[in-house]
Structure formats: structure tokens, C-alpha cells
């Protein structure tokens, strides 16, 4: 399982989000293959590995073929949204006003992308359109995105969800968003920061936003805010139950006088990628019998336990009194996690009580390393004993590459094992 943590210390925009994913390992070639399923033309992509303030990262951009450049970092109110005019429906004005929400929705729905990617992208466009409609006192049908804004924002928004899918990212968490202040100049005049569309989306939202008074420009674009509002599961510090597997930076194009970058962390649950140096310890085995809860709810509870720091958790089919079919939920936890695991069990299952036993176990010291194959990086787990090493390929990273390149999981595993042995020989 992989999770994405966003550290938006300098704002959030569409191209910064994609820059982070590429810096975290998103395969550029496979991304382009998936993006072509949108059947949108009139642009090309640039991806540059560069340095800002002595920090390495990726700068992603969408370049319009007729304009050869754009500096917009996402949908910015009044720059990318036009008002309806009396002759708005005339065909000669269609290109000037660009696509409206209905056209963008049809474009995405008619593509060959995965349904989950379609649904998430359309939800973001709906969020932005509703905010712009309220700001400009229009119906959502009357809100049109200029051609420049429409193309790059479609690529940014749809592309972000393509990236999440290709990387196998199952959830997103984030720190507080940081925006600038003051005003910015746009096509229709002076606009306050946060821009009106972002301020509208903040209404009745729990997304935390801090403003920097020393930066007099926009840092959080409507695209960035909408993505955060709809996809981030929780806001706060880096979870202490997660281990950082990789750190990436996605740069913005706006000059702010400071490092304009989004930092992203690729996380995995601590138990699955925790290096172990000891050969033995004490653990607790916790049990609960459950006969009156749905499979969906049980799956949710299991996920909560794993993400909460359980060393392992699993179900065993059992029969209880009166021959009722049921499940026994078993949780393996360190002594320091016993209270937390019991609390999670009582909160997320229907059980009225749990039981536990203290146990001793012997473990093989282990470490995690990243090896490079012809298809990308793969994580391997290495156990070390007096008689030699035991090597296994971590499923999640291998499966993500297998899906991305349409190859078998076994091909990735064999390539990873070969790469590890080759690197081991060179050492």
C-alpha cells in the first residue's frame, strides 16, 4: 500500500501536483500513453528535471501549440472563466469562450480512461465550476473556460488522477495549504488573494489554509484547492504510523521571491516497511469474535487497524453457538500499541469485548532497499541471518509497474531480484 502526503508550504497548483508525482517515480512514457486516451490535441508536454534553491525536482508544464507557452498554474478566476454574453451561443464565439462544464464532462466521459479517473476528474471540474458560477453570478452552464485554461487544466486534473492510478496510491493526506496575500492583476482587473473562486470553495470547508503576508501573489489556485478539497482524507502532520519511502518536489512556474515548490512524500504503513534490527521481542495477539457486521464494514475495520500501526491483522471464518457463521478478527501488535488497537477494535467493529495474550517471537533482522529495473524502481525486503540472506520483492511496487507496463508480476519480480543480485555483486 502506498499513500501520498502533500506538504504545500508554497501553495498548490495542478502542474505542481504532477511535478511531485513525476519526482516520486511516475513513469512519464506510460503517463503519456494514458493521457492520449482523452483524445485532446493542440498541446504538448514538457517535463524538466531541474534545481531550485539547490533542491532537485521536476517542472511539469502544458504548452499550447499555437501559443508555445503558458504561465498559468491552474484555473485562475477571471483569467480562465468568461462571462456569458447575449450572443454567447453563436458558433463564431465558441472558440473564444472555450469549453463549458458540460462539454468538458462529455469529453472526459467519452474517453477510454478508467471510470475511477473519469469520476474524480469530473468531480473536480464540478467543484470549480460551481465556485466560479457563484462568484460571477452565473449558472454553471453559463460558465465557460477559456481555451487556454481548458486544455492545460484538463491535462493537469485528469493527469493527476491518471498518475495516482498508475502509482497505486490509495489515499492522500496533507499539511495545511499555504497561500499568498495582497492582490494580483488579471485580464479583468485587480483580484484579491486568495482569489474569489478559492475563497468560495473554502466556504463550509475544513481545508486549513494559512496566508503568508510576505508573499504578495497567488499560491493556491482553484485547481489545486479543488483537488485538495475532494481528495485529501485528512490534514495534519506526517502520520507517525507511516514510513517515508521517497521525497519529491514539484516546481511552480510563478515567481514568488521564495522557493515555489510542492513537496510530496510517498508513504507506506510503518509495519510493512519497518527495518528490524533485533532478533526477538514481545508482542500481543488480540482477538474478537464478530457475527453481526457486513463485509464492507469489516474490511474498513481491518484497514483502520493496519494503518493504525498493527503488525498484522486478519480474519478467520468460525462457527459460534447455535451454528452461527462468524469471523474471528486477530490483531498482532507491539506492547506500545495494545491500547490503541483495542480502542480501534471497539470503535470500528460491533464486538462488545476483546481478549489478548502476551507472546514472544523471534524475528529475522531486515532492511528495505530500492533496486532499478528496466521498468522502474522496485522495493525489496532483505532478511539477514548467520547462514545468508533472504530476499523478497515487495508486492505493491512490483504490481504498480506490472500494471503500468502491461507485463506479468513475475517478470517484475525476476527483474528486481536480478537487479539486487547485480548491485550486491558490485558492492
Amino acid at each position: 500500500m502506498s499513500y501520498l502526503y502533500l506538504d504545500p508550504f508554497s501553495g498548490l497548483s495542478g502542474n505542481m501536483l504532477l511535478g511531485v508525482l513525476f519526482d516520486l517515480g511516475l513513469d512519464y512514457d506510460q503517463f503519456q500513453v494514458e493521457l492520449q486516451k482523452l483524445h485532446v490535441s493542440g498541446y504538448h508536454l514538457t517535463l524538466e528535471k531541474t534545481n531550485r534553491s539547490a533542491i532537485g525536482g521536476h517542472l511539469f508544464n502544458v504548452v499550447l501549440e499555437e501559443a508555445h507557452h503558458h504561465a498559468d498554474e491552474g484555473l485562475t478566476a477571471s483569467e480562465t472563466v468568461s462571462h456569458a454574453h447575449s450572443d454567447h451561443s453563436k458558433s463564431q464565439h465558441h472558440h473564444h469562450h472555450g469549453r463549458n462544464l458540460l462539454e468538458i464532462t462529455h469529453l472526459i466521459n467519452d474517453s477510454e480512461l478508467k471510470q475511477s479517473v473519469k469520476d474524480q476528474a469530473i468531480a473536480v471540474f464540478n467543484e470549480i465550476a460551481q465556485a466560479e458560477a457563484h462568484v460571477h453570478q452565473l449558472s454553471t452552464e453559463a460558465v465557460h473556460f477559456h481555451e487556454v485554461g481548458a486544455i492545460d487544466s484538463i491535462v493537469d486534473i485528469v493527469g493527476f488522477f491518471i498518475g495516482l492510478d498508475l502509482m497505486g496510491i490509495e489515499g492522500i493526506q496533507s499539511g495545511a495549504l499555504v497561500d499568498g496575500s495582497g492582490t494580483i492583476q488579471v485580464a479583468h482587473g485587480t483580484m484579491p488573494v486568495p482569489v474569489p473562486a478559492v475563497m468560495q470553495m473554502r466556504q463550509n470547508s475544513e481545508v486549513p489554509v494559512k496566508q503568508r503576508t510576505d508573499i504578495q501573489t497567488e499560491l493556491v489556485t482553484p485547481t489545486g484547492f479543488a483537488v485538495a478539497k475532494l481528495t485529501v482524507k485528512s490534514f495534519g502532520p506526517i502520520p507517525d504510523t507511516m514510513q517515508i519511502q521517497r521525497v519529491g518536489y514539484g516546481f511552480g512556474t510563478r515567481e514568488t521571491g521564495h522557493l515555489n515548490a510542492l513537496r510530496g512524500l510517498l508513504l507506506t504503513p510503518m509495519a510493512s516497511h519497518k527495518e528490524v534490527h533485533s532478533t526477538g521481542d514481545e508482542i500481543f495477539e488480540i482477538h474478537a469474535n464478530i457475527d453481526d457486521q457486513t463485509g464492507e464494514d469489516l474490511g474498513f475495520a481491518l484497514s483502520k487497524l493496519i494503518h493504525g500501526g498493527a503488525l498484522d491483522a486478519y480474519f478467520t471464518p468460525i462457527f459460534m453457538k447455535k451454528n452461527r457463521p462468524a469471523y474471528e478478527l486477530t490483531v498482532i501488535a507491539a506492547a506500545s500499541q495494545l491500547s490503541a488497537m483495542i480502542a480501534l477494535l471497539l470503535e470500528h467493529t460491533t464486538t462488545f469485548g476483546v481478549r489478548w495474550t502476551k507472546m514472544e517471537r523471534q524475528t529475522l533482522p531486515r532492511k528495505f532497499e530500492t533496486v532499478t529495473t528496466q521498468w522502474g524502481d522496485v522495493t525489496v525486503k532483505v532478511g539477514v541471518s548467520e547462514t545468508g540472506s533472504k530476499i523478497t520483492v515487495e508486492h505493491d511496487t512490483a504490481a504498480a509497474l506490472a500494471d503500468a507496463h502491461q507485463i506479468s508480476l513475475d517478470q517484475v519480480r525476476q527483474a528486481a531480484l536480478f537487479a539486487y543480485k547485480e548491485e550486491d555483486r558490485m558492492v
Side-chain angles (χ1 to χ4, degrees):
M1 297 181 187
S2 295
Y3 297 84
L4 176 65
Y5 181 85
L6 301 175
D7 182 11
F9 63 89
S10 184
L12 197 63
S13 66
N15 65 334
M16 292 166 77
L17 284 164
L18 273 166
V20 159
L21 293 187
F22 286 117
D23 208 44
L24 290 173
L26 174 61
D27 187 282
Y28 186 49
D29 292 334
Q30 186 61 29
F31 172 81
Q32 292 185 92
V33 169
E34 289 297 308
L35 193 61
Q36 288 174 4
K37 296 177 181 180
L38 260 179
H39 304 298
V40 174
S41 59
Y43 73 94
H44 67 271
L45 307 179
T46 63
L47 181 64
E48 179 185 0
K49 187 171 179 59
T50 184
N51 284 271
R52 300 279 178 88
S53 300
I55 295 176
H58 277 81
L59 175 62
F60 173 81
N61 215 344
V62 182
V63 182
L64 299 180
E65 291 179 352
E66 65 270 26
H68 303 292
H69 177 72
H70 85 85
D72 180 38
E73 292 187 337
L75 286 175
T76 305
S78 295
E79 285 187 302
T80 55
V81 176
S82 62
H83 291 259
H85 298 286
S86 58
D87 59 350
H88 175 72
S89 61
K90 295 181 181 180
S91 60
Q92 61 265 34
H93 291 278
H94 177 78
H95 182 78
H96 171 73
H97 290 301
R99 296 179 174 93
N100 62 20
L101 178 62
L102 184 61
E103 291 170 318
I104 292 175
T105 300
H106 284 320
L107 175 69
I108 296 172
N109 273 330
D110 291 343
S111 72
E112 300 162 16
L113 293 166
K114 286 187 176 180
Q115 191 60 48
S116 59
V117 172
K118 296 179 184 180
D119 293 342
Q120 292 175 99
I122 291 171
V124 170
F125 270 108
N126 268 298
E127 180 73 24
I128 298 171
Q130 289 174 17
E132 298 285 11
H134 184 89
V135 168
H136 299 295
Q137 297 297 295
L138 300 170
S139 67
T140 54
E141 292 79 11
V143 172
H144 278 64
F145 302 110
H146 286 312
E147 195 65 19
V148 172
I151 290 179
D152 69 8
S153 295
I154 288 171
V155 172
D156 286 345
I157 293 170
V158 174
F160 178 66
F161 293 112
I162 288 174
L164 294 181
D165 181 68
L166 290 176
M167 296 180 71
I169 292 174
E170 298 193 17
I172 305 175
Q173 294 170 284
S174 177
L177 307 191
V178 177
D179 205 350
S181 56
T183 60
I184 57 172
Q185 293 297 317
V186 298
H188 297 288
T190 302
M191 185 174 295
V193 177
V195 295
V198 168
M199 190 61 82
Q200 181 61 35
M201 284 187 280
R202 286 179 62 179
Q203 183 174 317
N204 297 320
S205 166
E206 296 182 357
V207 179
V209 180
K210 301 177 182 178
Q211 282 190 261
R212 290 186 58 170
T213 57
D214 60 326
I215 297 181
Q216 299 291 299
T217 189
E218 172 194 40
L219 296 180
V220 177
T221 67
T223 295
F225 189 91
V227 168
K229 182 178 179 180
L230 296 183
T231 65
V232 174
K233 302 301 182 185
S234 63
F235 292 88
I238 301 169
D240 57 9
T241 58
M242 293 283 186
Q243 185 171 15
I244 300 172
Q245 293 299 304
R246 188 172 294 183
V247 180
Y249 291 85
F251 297 125
T253 55
R254 195 183 301 278
E255 293 297 328
T256 67
H258 301 265
L259 174 61
N260 186 18
L262 171 67
R263 180 161 58 190
L265 313 176
L266 200 61
L267 307 176
T268 54
M270 186 70 77
S272 64
H273 278 141
K274 183 179 180 181
E275 291 199 0
V276 177
H277 303 285
S278 63
T279 58
D281 59 2
E282 287 188 343
I283 58 170
F284 282 83
E285 189 175 83
I286 313 165
H287 299 274
N289 292 355
I290 304 166
D291 65 352
D292 57 349
Q293 195 163 3
T294 66
E296 290 86 353
D297 288 353
L298 290 174
F300 179 78
L302 192 68
S303 176
K304 284 291 185 181
L305 291 162
I306 293 295
H307 297 165
L311 299 175
D312 200 358
Y314 54 90
F315 290 107
T316 304
I318 59 174
F319 285 93
M320 296 177 61
K321 58 186 178 182
K322 299 180 181 179
N323 291 323
R324 293 200 310 272
Y327 289 98
E328 180 182 37
L329 175 52
T330 302
V331 182
I332 309 297
S336 61
Q337 290 291 96
L338 177 61
S339 297
M341 293 299 103
I342 292 172
L344 288 172
L345 276 165
L346 294 175
E347 179 182 359
H348 296 292
T349 73
T350 56
T351 188
F352 274 68
V354 299
R355 57 196 184 276
W356 63 86
T357 304
K358 181 188 289 188
M359 309 177 74
E360 292 185 357
R361 67 170 182 170
Q362 185 164 338
T363 57
L364 191 66
R366 74 203 67 171
K367 60 181 179 179
F368 292 84
E369 297 185 10
T370 300
V371 298
T372 301
T373 73
Q374 61 265 48
W375 299 294
D377 291 344
V378 182
T379 303
V380 296
K381 179 166 61 177
V382 183
V384 182
S385 67
E386 295 180 356
T387 59
S389 298
K390 181 183 294 185
I391 307 161
T392 60
V393 178
E394 289 296 280
H395 172 80
D396 291 338
T397 54
L401 289 183
D403 285 340
H405 295 279
Q406 300 297 303
I407 56 178
S408 72
L409 188 58
D410 189 61
Q411 283 179 276
V412 180
R413 285 200 191 102
Q414 294 302 323
L417 292 172
F418 179 80
Y420 175 80
K421 291 175 182 177
E422 286 296 302
E423 291 180 9
D424 194 42
R425 288 195 193 102
M426 289 189 288
V427 174

